[in-house]
Amino acid sequence: MKSLKTWYTLLICGSIMMLGGCEFRDIDLRLFVVAIGIDVSETNPDMNRFSFKIAIPTGDPKSGDVKTVLITQESTSIAEAIREAKSKVDKELDFGHCKGVLYGEAYARQDIGKIQDWTVRRRDMQLLMYPAVAIPTAEAVLKVQPATERIAGNAIFLALSEDGTESPFIAKTYSFDLSRRMTETGEDPVMPVIEATGKEILNIDKVALLDKSRVKTILTRDETRLYNLLDQRHLSTNFGIKIEGELFEVNTDRTRSRYKINESKEGAETIDYKVSITAILEEKEDKAPMTPAGLRKIEKEFNKDLTESITKLLEKIQKTGLDPLGFGLRYGGTHWNNDTEMEKWAEIYPRAKFNVHVKMTIKSTGYKR
Amino acid sequence: MVRNKYFYYLFLLNASINLINYVPRILIQDRFSGVLMSVLIAIPAGAILMYVFAKMLQRFPGEGLPEIFHSVFPVWISGLLLVLYGLGWYFSSAITLISFMDITSRYISPDVSPYIVLTGFLVVVGLSARLDSESLLYALEMVLYITMPLIAYMAWRVYSNPYFSWDSVRQIMTYAWNMPNYRTVAAATYIYTGYINMVVFNRIFRRFKVRYMFSIILVSIVSLFISLFGPIGILGANGAGEHVYPAFSTVDALRIRYFIIERMIYVFFVVYMILSLMNSIIHWHVGKELVLGGFKLEGEKPSLLPKKRKAEWWVLALFAVVIFVLATVINQYTLNDMAIVFLDVRFAGEILLVILLIYAAIRRGRRRRA
């Protein structure tokens, strides 16, 4: 028993001695990088311009005085840029709370593969970061200081994560989802687009479609909403329509989109989309109370209108050759000829027709008849 | 004396620890060539091995492997076998501990020296492995009651994630008609391996009997499903192969929205740290007993006890030193190779162990009749 005690004592003393050797830094010696921006350099084509938005810890988040610093650094690689940025600040840079990677539009049109690989590879970066395309440049977007921001650098992520605002125009994506789509055969990446409009407002209402590594197309606002309708479940949005000069707006409650790849006829393959929407009437110009027959009529008009615009969107995406909705992966997952299925799909996709079937049910007219 | 339920706990511990011991990675490496077939073979193979082992062990109530071997084999053969099995079993924990050290420095605290972390682990494991078998089982029960609900919650979160790509899973399923291979089968049977611990714990079981094989098979199917398809759904059919620790990267992609911490990985890390330590403690305990048994220091015989207590320190010290040295010399690739070699050898060793037990049971039966 006595020898055991001696051993314990020795061990405890020994472990205290080892503690001095570790390199842990206290929280007040750290600066938290909350977002990284990457742009092309205007002066040197080999270099990129990296911006780091750094939050300065304050004691009380309720006080509302937000302190951030934006450090920009031109460098050949991001690893180099971080080391160079470190010599511009007095404290250790911590990436543990980094929640955004913004690719400037010009940069995103080149190749984001290198940086995306870095964010996954680096050990202190989360896989839960929000990647986005920034217009005009990442630096400009990071410079915007929204008046509504309460915690430094928080505004962008509250919007992108949909923890704060929930907009039908925001295509929420995580870093892991982006890297998954970048490597997956038959599914292409998408990213939301953040625009800096004015000094205090950020606008996120578009989605960028990428091939495996660069931005190819940016959809318009309305197309983005339809894209989200096809991609997500229970999207809450509004849809408007004009019938005989009168405006009707509905607010969606539950939405669901499903598709099947129908190849019963060789050479005339179709992708059958079924979109079901439950909605509530929100706005109408017509003063007369609504009748069930009137509702059916509106539903019918909506079905026709949405079918048309969704088909148009799908055809537009098809023309770019991109596959953000993962049709190719679905095809691969339902076919057993593993060696040839992807070549077959490459043949089928450009010629496939879209059959869109929208079924909207307006289940209530709100408080008023 | 303990009741039968502790056998299931031993099984459950190993079934859950597979995420650390490179099982998902080996399975995922093979995802485009026969992993499903290998898993389909591994499930009955593992279950049969476990069942036969348990049936044979029932004929030796209250005896550990050292007692059984010494009674039917010459001293040098049984000594050699016991030491080899002891070291093999200990090696499993070496992989767990070293890879967990690696995980800690990779995901949690890059700034802290990994050797300090490892020293902490070794101290805890080394000191706890000396406890008697019964206390270890009670501790195991408590640990499982704490961690299992969390693991179930995390698994549910993985599969209910809106970003979980079922199409990627279906894509892998269409690769089912490929030939299985030994390495993947061996890796997949790791789920069942917990029963090997009974070679020592059988000493304290009262009338050991294995029942509910059906639920054991069900649990193993579920855990294989989690370790294989969880990473594939989240990281992608192609992307899953790019990660060093697919299971950890998968959990890193989970977000807890309304909780004090935001990243699931911290919960996962704590859960698996507890499980790895518990697993290593039990493996060291079994390994130590087998090695000591090899030198005829078995059980709790009062005449041998002081000598055994002293020898125990030496064995445990050796265990700790070997792991520490290994940790300093190997890198990520050799660790992975080591894990593969271990899993391969382990499966063959298990089959041999069951054959030896059958032989021992026959010898014993004959002697009794004679």
Side-chain angles (χ1 to χ4, degrees):
Chain A
M1 208 53 220
K2 206 181 168 195
S3 70
L4 197 68
K5 261 185 198 158
T6 340
W7 273 106
Y8 274 129
T9 324
L10 273 177
L11 257 170
I12 290 165
C13 293
S15 55
I16 289 170
M17 275 164 73
M18 285 175 96
L19 271 178
C22 78
E23 292 176 42
F24 185 74
R25 282 197 183 78
D26 232 329
I27 195 156
D28 52 352
L29 293 178
R30 285 164 189 261
L31 288 173
F32 293 98
V33 177
V34 289
I36 305 175
I38 303 110
D39 287 307
V40 287
S41 164
E42 277 158 17
T43 49
N44 189 338
D46 289 338
M47 291 231 227
N48 291 320
R49 194 175 169 81
F50 298 98
S51 325
F52 302 96
K53 187 162 190 169
I54 296 171
I56 299 162
T58 50
D60 183 15
K62 281 180 205 142
S63 67
D65 55 334
V66 176
K67 281 190 198 153
T68 56
V69 181
L70 189 69
I71 292 184
T72 51
Q73 182 69 49
E74 297 217 344
S75 183
T76 43
S77 72
I78 187 160
E80 181 74 20
I82 289 172
R83 302 307 181 281
E84 282 167 0
K86 272 186 183 178
S87 61
K88 289 187 177 174
V89 292
D90 56 338
K91 302 190 178 85
E92 172 77 3
L93 289 183
D94 189 314
F95 287 87
H97 290 263
C98 181
K99 289 179 82 184
V101 206
L102 303 183
Y103 299 99
E105 197 197 354
Y107 183 79
R109 286 192 187 272
Q110 288 172 8
D111 184 7
I112 63 161
K114 193 175 63 180
I115 303 293
Q116 187 57 29
D117 182 76
W118 175 83
T119 59
V120 174
R121 190 178 297 277
R122 200 179 146 100
R123 52 193 176 183
D124 50 359
M125 298 291 242
Q126 317 182 10
L127 288 177
L128 283 172
M129 282 191 303
Y130 304 104
V133 176
I135 292 178
T137 60
E139 198 186 340
V141 169
L142 288 179
K143 263 194 189 139
V144 174
Q145 195 71 50
T148 51
E149 191 166 86
R150 274 282 164 272
I151 301 171
N154 206 8
I156 296 178
F157 317 122
L158 276 182
L160 285 179
S161 67
E162 301 192 340
D163 280 357
T165 179
E166 259 185 54
S167 158
F169 303 111
I170 297 177
K172 184 170 103 179
T173 319
Y174 288 111
S175 178
F176 75 88
D177 191 49
L178 182 65
S179 347
R180 177 169 70 79
R181 285 158 176 260
M182 280 166 76
T183 51
E184 203 77 309
T185 28
E187 198 174 20
D188 287 328
V190 292
M191 271 199 272
V193 177
I194 306 184
E195 248 175 300
T197 53
K199 256 190 162 169
E200 288 203 326
I201 290 178
L202 290 171
N203 193 12
I204 313 174
D205 64 355
K206 295 192 184 88
V207 66
L209 306 185
L210 291 79
D211 68 355
K212 288 299 167 200
S213 59
R214 66 184 79 98
V215 172
K216 283 278 177 188
T217 327
I218 294 180
L219 298 181
T220 64
R221 241 173 62 99
D222 289 328
E223 285 168 344
T224 302
R225 168 162 53 191
L226 291 177
Y227 171 81
N228 280 338
L229 175 70
L230 296 179
D231 191 48
Q232 299 172 12
R233 274 184 84 165
H234 304 325
L235 181 78
S236 46
T237 179
N238 65 305
F239 287 110
I241 198 170
K242 268 206 155 134
I243 304 170
E244 293 156 12
E246 307 268 8
L247 184 72
F248 293 94
E249 287 271 349
V250 291
N251 181 23
T252 61
D253 185 27
R254 296 169 163 276
T255 68
R256 187 171 184 193
S257 313
R258 277 179 299 180
Y259 65 86
K260 251 192 206 139
I261 300 170
N262 183 353
E263 31 172 350
S264 50
K265 256 187 259 154
E266 175 82 29
E269 291 85 354
T270 57
I271 296 174
D272 300 342
Y273 242 106
K274 258 188 199 159
V275 184
S276 47
I277 304 170
T278 325
I280 298 169
L281 192 68
E282 188 171 316
E283 208 180 322
K284 80 184 188 61
E285 278 181 340
D286 185 14
K287 291 282 184 305
M290 207 58 182
T291 57
L295 269 186
R296 297 291 93 75
K297 196 178 154 204
I298 297 172
E299 281 171 7
K300 224 169 144 189
E301 289 293 323
F302 263 117
N303 290 347
K304 218 171 85 188
D305 185 56
L306 282 174
T307 303
E308 204 173 296
S309 45
I310 289 175
T311 315
K312 216 181 261 169
L313 169 68
L314 287 170
E315 275 163 2
K316 181 180 174 183
I317 293 174
Q318 185 189 29
K319 262 193 208 108
T320 60
L322 302 176
D323 193 358
L325 291 161
F327 300 133
L329 190 63
R330 173 72 57 86
Y331 185 85
T334 44
H335 287 74
W336 294 75
N337 50 332
N338 297 316
D339 299 330
T340 54
E341 67 193 13
M342 278 305 152
E343 287 138 44
K344 192 93 191 298
W345 173 247
E347 271 173 42
I348 294 174
Y349 187 43
R351 69 171 182 233
K353 292 263 179 304
F354 293 99
N355 278 338
V356 181
H357 184 79
V358 182
K359 188 168 171 287
M360 182 185 276
T361 325
I362 300 177
K363 62 168 190 188
S364 112
T365 58
Y367 274 13
K368 287 181 77 183
R369 293 209 299 142
Chain B
M1 287 291 131
V2 295
R3 277 186 291 141
N4 254 326
K5 62 176 180 180
Y6 290 93
F7 172 73
Y8 303 103
Y9 295 150
L10 286 171
F11 158 74
L12 210 56
L13 176 67
N14 252 56
S16 54
I17 207 75
N18 77 78
L19 298 182
I20 307 292
N21 275 26
Y22 291 94
V23 173
R25 190 160 147 199
I26 295 167
L27 295 183
I28 285 167
Q29 260 170 17
D30 228 15
R31 63 198 179 286
F32 291 123
S33 54
V35 65
L36 280 177
M37 272 299 160
S38 306
V39 166
L40 277 184
I41 292 177
I43 287 168
I48 289 169
L49 272 179
M50 180 189 222
Y51 186 74
V52 175
F53 175 88
K55 275 275 165 225
M56 288 303 127
L57 211 60
Q58 279 171 26
R59 306 209 181 170
F60 305 97
E63 283 181 63
L65 198 66
E67 293 91 317
I68 298 170
F69 274 10
H70 280 311
S71 68
V72 292
F73 294 118
V75 178
W76 64 275
I77 292 187
S78 56
L80 187 69
L81 278 173
L82 286 170
V83 171
L84 281 182
Y85 271 114
L87 291 182
W89 203 227
Y90 148 77
F91 202 68
S92 156
S93 78
I95 291 164
T96 313
L97 284 177
I98 295 174
S99 54
F100 212 80
M101 170 194 92
D102 191 30
I103 288 165
T104 311
S105 61
R106 211 177 277 262
Y107 287 90
I108 302 295
S109 53
D111 295 339
V112 178
S113 159
Y115 301 110
I116 294 179
V117 175
L118 185 65
T119 312
F121 287 168
L122 288 176
V123 168
V124 170
V125 172
L127 292 179
S128 317
R130 291 185 68 249
L131 297 173
D132 56 310
S133 306
E134 235 167 305
S135 332
L136 285 183
L137 287 184
Y138 295 142
L140 171 64
E141 182 176 28
M142 262 186 284
V143 163
L144 287 179
Y145 271 113
I146 296 167
T147 54
M148 277 304 148
L150 286 169
I151 291 178
Y153 172 65
M154 284 184 270
W156 173 71
R157 282 300 298 263
V158 168
Y159 285 96
S160 66
N161 196 326
Y163 289 87
F164 189 89
S165 163
W166 285 102
D167 281 337
S168 300
V169 172
R170 277 161 87 176
Q171 171 70 312
I172 295 303
M173 287 201 175
T174 61
Y175 282 84
W177 300 116
N178 281 311
M179 290 305 276
N181 63 50
Y182 175 75
R183 184 210 282 175
T184 315
V185 173
T189 48
Y190 185 81
I191 302 282
Y192 287 99
T193 297
Y195 70 84
I196 299 285
N197 289 314
M198 287 300 293
V199 296
V200 165
F201 287 105
N202 191 36
R203 285 173 183 159
I204 54 165
F205 270 67
R206 184 196 310 166
R207 266 173 297 157
F208 168 56
K209 219 181 222 170
V210 59
R211 268 175 297 176
Y212 314 115
M213 268 317 272
F214 179 71
S215 50
I216 285 185
I217 291 175
L218 203 71
V219 169
S220 59
I221 290 174
V222 169
S223 45
L224 277 173
F225 194 81
I226 291 171
S227 13
L228 176 61
F229 288 128
I232 283 174
I234 295 284
L235 306 172
N238 290 338
E242 291 183 351
H243 289 260
V244 179
Y245 294 98
F248 269 82
S249 297
T250 305
V251 177
D252 197 13
L254 296 183
R255 182 151 172 264
I256 322 172
R257 205 159 150 184
Y258 304 108
F259 202 53
I260 9 173
I261 38 176
E262 196 183 17
R263 292 168 74 183
M264 187 70 100
I265 183 132
Y266 295 119
V267 181
F268 187 75
F269 177 80
V270 171
V271 164
Y272 269 86
M273 185 172 74
I274 296 173
L275 282 179
S276 312
L277 288 179
M278 196 67 227
N279 193 49
S280 300
I281 291 167
I282 283 180
H283 282 208
W284 279 35
H285 181 77
V286 172
K288 170 205 87 176
E289 287 294 324
L290 290 182
V291 170
L292 289 177
F295 296 104
K296 297 227 82 176
L297 293 164
E298 70 229 24
E300 301 275 311
K301 284 179 207 154
S303 58
L304 288 174
L305 213 52
K307 210 175 156 193
K308 190 184 168 189
R309 286 273 149 196
K310 211 181 263 172
E312 222 169 55
W313 281 113
W314 286 107
V315 175
L316 292 176
L318 184 77
F319 281 5
V321 168
V322 168
I323 288 186
F324 203 87
V325 172
L326 267 180
T328 54
V329 295
I330 65 176
N331 61 24
Q332 165 188 334
Y333 299 100
T334 37
L335 183 59
N336 188 30
D337 292 342
M338 239 168 71
I340 291 173
V341 169
F342 165 73
L343 287 171
D344 288 359
V345 172
R346 188 212 93 248
F347 189 45
E350 254 174 51
I351 297 174
L352 181 70
L353 179 67
V354 171
I355 294 171
L356 287 174
L357 266 184
I358 295 174
Y359 174 74
I362 294 171
R363 280 284 294 271
R364 186 70 70 84
R366 212 175 277 162
R367 199 178 303 160
R368 203 170 293 150
R369 248 177 282 140

